[in-house]
Amino acid sequence: MTKILRLILGDQLHHGHSWFQKVDASVHYVMMEIRPEATYVRHHIQKIIAFFLAMRAFAQSRQEAGHIFHYYALNDPENRQSLEGNILQLIEKEGFTHFEYLLPDEYRLDKQLQEISQSLPIPARADDTEHFLTSREALGHFFKGKKTYLLESFYRDIRRRFQILMEGDEPLTGRWNYDAENRRAYDGKVPIPSPPLFDRNVEELVAMIEKAGIPTLGHLNAQCFPWPVTREESLQTLYFFVEKALPFFGTYQDAMVPDEPFLFHSRLSFALNTKLLSPMEVIQAAIAAWEKQPAQIHIAQLEGFVRQIAGWREYMRGVYWANMPGYAQKNYFEHQAELPHFYWTGETRMQCLSQAIGQSLSQAYAHHIQRLMLTGNFALLAGVHPDAVDEWYLGIYIDAIEWVEITNTRGMSQYADGGLVATKPYVSSANYIDKMSTYCRNCYYDKKKRYGPKACPFNSLYWEFYERHTDKLARNARIGMAYRNLQKMDSDEKAKIMAQAQFYRQNLNSL
Ligand SMILES: Cc1cc2nc3c(=O)[nH]c(=O)nc-3n(C[C@H](O)[C@H](O)[C@H](O)COP(=O)(O)OP(=O)(O)OC[C@H]3O[C@@H](n4cnc5c(N)ncnc54)[C@H](O)[C@@H]3O)c2cc1C
């Protein structure tokens, strides 16, 4: 008699998957909270809690729908704390004849499950997660033989194939891209909406994690856990977003405001990455809101959002599968510095970094521009080894799963892939930070100064970064202006800037 064991990983919580279309007594599901997954990097405590809560809620909801589940809690005495150990235990105990799993999104787990499958005493096979719009291989095929992958062409192809905001082969509103209208600093003209924050008591879970000795980082209010971890909460967060925040999403997408971590962002990355929400339903909800209130939601806001999900998210996944495992070793600039200690505490006199890091520690969240143009920008200017940068990003954010973390961090933010993802390094001086935020107003450092007492470190480090990497960057047409300015710079002035940068790079921990 056929008896199937199906594995569901913690980021495969897809309620609508075809596996769950019908209840079958010969099919059992297994989910497990295991040490290796909780410790492969030091995770933010909110990230571990979110995963365990979401997994437990998912197993419960599927059980309520009639499916048979085996769930290993972290502290279950039967838990062998490994995928293979628990799978073998169940095969022995329950006499399964077949093993099935869903294709993991991470290279590490993909390899592990292929190896486990080969060593099992029963046949094994993998199914698709039915989550992404494109396949793992789609981007690799699309850009075959190309040195750089241009997001825009991949994104347009997806829009065409899925007929997202399209009229036949052309964009519905006549334009593909509204970036020029978007990305302004926040001017206070519209109030920032308060997103739904859930308030679960997670004291028991925290105690379990502490007792198991799982190292964590960051802070948590255990009486009031705010993240959406069920399908219903995720939908609530989605509907709130499309109604209240989408009307200003694009406009303030790049803005940074002290003590306002979420602004007009969706907070949907955890729900999307764990597959509680599908990318298509998120896109459709946004389009439906736009169709319902065209006077409130301009197409620029909608297209800016659709681009993130149908464009960047699918693109990053494709980059990952086209380039792993080598991508994890990329270090184009051969950077070697350690991550400054303040990344773990937020204790720096640079107001922008203190805020972005402090907020990351307290919320397990920072929005895209904070990740790219504050923490990422500084790490790149300071010459931090991409391994250390990756480890930090992979641990600290609620949504950090390697396929989307490493491509954003090593690729987009650190330019460690030499320009496969980004057409130029995302670095800036204080000028950009001041344009997009109000952090500089209350900063110890002087945003205008490039050297001397209280000179903003971003300024000298910015010029020294270009100077240091002249051989690798000077021919890049997109940054020709920076090199022309460097050439024109008075030699005495330049020497002072370089000396200031050297001093800061030697004293990163005391900034
Ligand atoms: C250095 C760095 C590291 C990052 N690490 C991660 C990560 O580990 N996990 C992660 O999900 N995102 C990561 N991002 C992308 C982005 O910052 C987050 O997806 C976003 O901040 C999540 O918040 P939100 O849901 O409010 O997003 P919103 O701003 O509301 O955007 C909507 C959705 O679009 C998608 N999206 C937006 N930008 C990107 C992008 N560049 N790549 C992929 N998807 C995108 C996300 O699913 C997001 O939920 C990283 C970006 C940078 C620069």
Side-chain angles (χ1 to χ4, degrees):
M1 199 183 82
T2 304
K3 197 171 172 189
I4 302 171
L5 178 64
R6 285 177 171 169
L7 171 71
I8 310 270
L9 297 172
D11 65 348
Q12 297 180 334
L13 314 180
H14 183 351
H15 288 71
H17 193 275
S18 55
W19 275 8
F20 299 112
Q21 292 308 303
K22 69 175 190 347
V23 172
D24 184 341
S26 68
V27 178
H28 291 213
Y29 294 86
V30 59
M31 294 183 72
M32 51 186 100
E33 299 165 6
I34 50 175
R35 274 193 84 83
E37 290 306 306
T39 56
Y40 66 84
V41 69
R42 185 184 281 266
H43 299 284
H44 198 296
I45 178 71
Q46 293 189 34
K47 182 180 173 192
I48 300 185
I49 297 281
F51 268 95
F52 286 0
L53 283 173
M55 288 164 68
R56 289 176 181 202
F58 180 81
Q60 194 186 334
S61 86
R62 297 302 77 205
Q63 263 172 319
E64 283 164 9
H67 301 282
I68 305 167
F69 262 75
H70 301 268
Y71 193 96
Y72 288 98
L74 186 71
N75 59 357
D76 183 340
E78 301 253 292
N79 190 340
R80 294 189 180 171
Q81 302 295 344
S82 76
L83 284 172
E84 188 173 19
N86 288 335
I87 292 165
L88 278 172
Q89 172 166 263
L90 284 172
I91 293 174
E92 278 160 28
K93 239 169 59 183
E94 301 274 345
F96 290 109
T97 60
H98 293 79
F99 172 67
E100 294 177 0
Y101 64 97
L102 295 173
L103 285 174
D105 290 332
E106 283 185 287
Y107 185 83
R108 173 181 66 88
L109 285 167
D110 194 56
K111 211 160 159 255
Q112 210 178 319
L113 277 162
Q114 280 178 25
E115 284 163 11
I116 292 174
S117 295
Q118 276 163 15
S119 69
L120 289 179
I122 56 174
R125 59 160 247 232
D127 278 343
D128 197 85
T129 54
E130 301 169 7
H131 171 80
F132 291 96
L133 303 175
T134 51
S135 74
R136 281 177 175 184
E137 298 79 24
L139 178 132
H141 291 149
F142 191 80
F143 290 113
K144 201 163 192 267
K146 295 274 186 322
K147 280 204 187 118
T148 52
Y149 302 159
L150 201 62
L151 164 87
E152 192 67 30
S153 47
F154 190 62
Y155 166 63
R156 289 184 188 186
D157 186 59
I158 292 177
R159 290 261 307 266
R160 280 199 187 96
R161 275 200 288 141
F162 291 88
Q163 286 294 297
I164 300 168
L165 293 173
M166 296 295 292
E167 199 162 4
D169 236 18
E170 293 304 316
L172 186 62
T173 53
R175 271 171 67 185
W176 290 102
N177 190 323
Y178 290 83
D179 273 357
E181 274 94 326
N182 289 338
R183 301 164 183 249
R184 288 194 229 135
Y186 181 62
D187 46 18
K189 281 191 186 145
V190 284
I192 297 164
S194 305
L197 299 176
F198 305 93
D199 63 352
R200 244 186 214 84
N201 187 314
V202 294
E203 285 168 312
E204 255 179 54
L205 264 186
V206 174
M208 179 190 78
I209 289 163
E210 278 173 1
K211 194 162 170 219
I214 307 287
T216 61
L217 65 94
H219 318 301
L220 159 86
N221 177 352
Q223 282 156 1
C224 178
F225 187 76
W227 287 96
V229 293
T230 65
R231 167 100 181 132
E232 292 68 32
E233 289 168 357
S234 304
L235 285 171
Q236 206 179 317
T237 306
L238 170 62
Y239 296 142
F240 172 86
F241 167 74
V242 297
E243 196 187 323
K244 306 280 190 213
L246 181 60
F248 305 100
F249 174 82
T251 308
Y252 301 122
Q253 190 175 357
D254 287 5
M256 295 175 279
V257 180
D259 303 319
E260 289 290 352
F262 308 124
L263 291 166
F264 299 88
H265 292 274
S266 67
R267 292 175 73 249
L268 289 173
S269 48
F270 177 79
L272 274 163
N273 293 352
T274 49
K275 306 182 181 50
L276 285 166
L277 295 178
S278 82
M280 196 46 115
E281 78 178 328
V282 171
I283 290 168
Q284 280 167 351
I287 293 175
W290 171 69
E291 283 168 347
K292 208 168 118 201
Q293 357 169 33
Q296 277 77 40
I297 305 175
H298 190 269
I299 180 67
Q301 316 293 337
L302 176 68
E303 193 280 319
F305 183 70
V306 168
R307 172 178 293 269
Q308 306 308 316
I309 312 269
W312 281 109
R313 190 167 183 270
E314 296 288 323
Y315 170 86
M316 288 308 199
R317 174 166 183 264
V319 169
Y320 182 77
W321 285 105
N323 292 283
M324 282 299 279
Y327 208 74
Q329 265 77 54
K330 302 268 183 212
N331 186 1
Y332 182 64
F333 294 124
E334 297 172 43
H335 281 167
Q336 301 297 332
E338 286 176 15
L339 194 71
H341 190 250
F342 57 75
Y343 272 72
W344 304 103
T345 62
E347 287 166 17
T348 163
R349 286 172 294 188
M350 289 176 278
Q351 187 60 216
C352 56
L353 285 177
S354 164
Q355 284 267 345
I357 295 168
Q359 172 203 309
S360 303
L361 290 167
S362 65
Q363 312 282 345
Y365 179 90
H367 69 68
H368 186 71
I369 289 301
Q370 293 175 309
R371 297 185 203 198
L372 187 66
M373 297 310 293
L374 297 179
T375 43
N377 182 8
F378 188 83
L380 181 54
L381 293 179
V384 177
H385 195 297
D387 282 358
V389 187
D390 257 334
E391 189 194 342
W392 185 79
Y393 278 98
L394 191 55
I396 201 161
Y397 292 117
I398 191 105
D399 51 34
I401 303 180
E402 193 189 63
W403 67 269
V404 58
E405 175 280 322
I406 201 170
T407 41
N408 272 292
T409 301
R410 232 168 244 258
M412 179 179 267
S413 159
Q414 299 301 295
Y415 203 78
D417 61 8
L420 190 68
V421 164
T423 49
K424 66 180 176 85
Y426 281 95
V427 287
S428 83
S429 64
N431 198 22
Y432 172 84
I433 298 169
D434 189 42
K435 194 174 107 195
M436 297 311 296
S437 77
T438 52
Y439 296 130
C440 302
R441 287 184 201 164
N442 300 312
C443 189
Y444 165 87
Y445 292 103
D446 185 337
K447 64 185 181 194
K448 297 265 183 241
K449 286 174 82 172
R450 303 200 279 192
Y451 52 83
K454 297 193 181 179
C456 172
F458 278 91
N459 293 338
S460 54
L461 289 174
Y462 172 78
W463 289 113
E464 196 253 0
F465 168 83
Y466 279 130
E467 176 75 359
R468 191 161 25 113
H469 294 304
T470 301
D471 56 335
K472 290 193 162 127
L473 295 175
R475 282 184 302 277
N476 183 329
R478 287 206 67 202
I479 41 183
M481 173 78 96
Y483 281 99
R484 281 193 292 280
N485 286 340
L486 252 184
Q487 267 169 2
K488 276 193 277 172
M489 207 179 266
D490 174 79
S491 60
D492 190 38
E493 176 88 355
K494 185 169 163 184
K496 284 180 181 150
I497 294 172
M498 297 304 147
Q500 183 74 59
Q502 292 295 347
F503 173 78
Y504 281 155
R505 291 218 304 130
Q506 280 155 14
N507 293 280
L508 289 174
N509 282 327
S510 41
L511 295 179

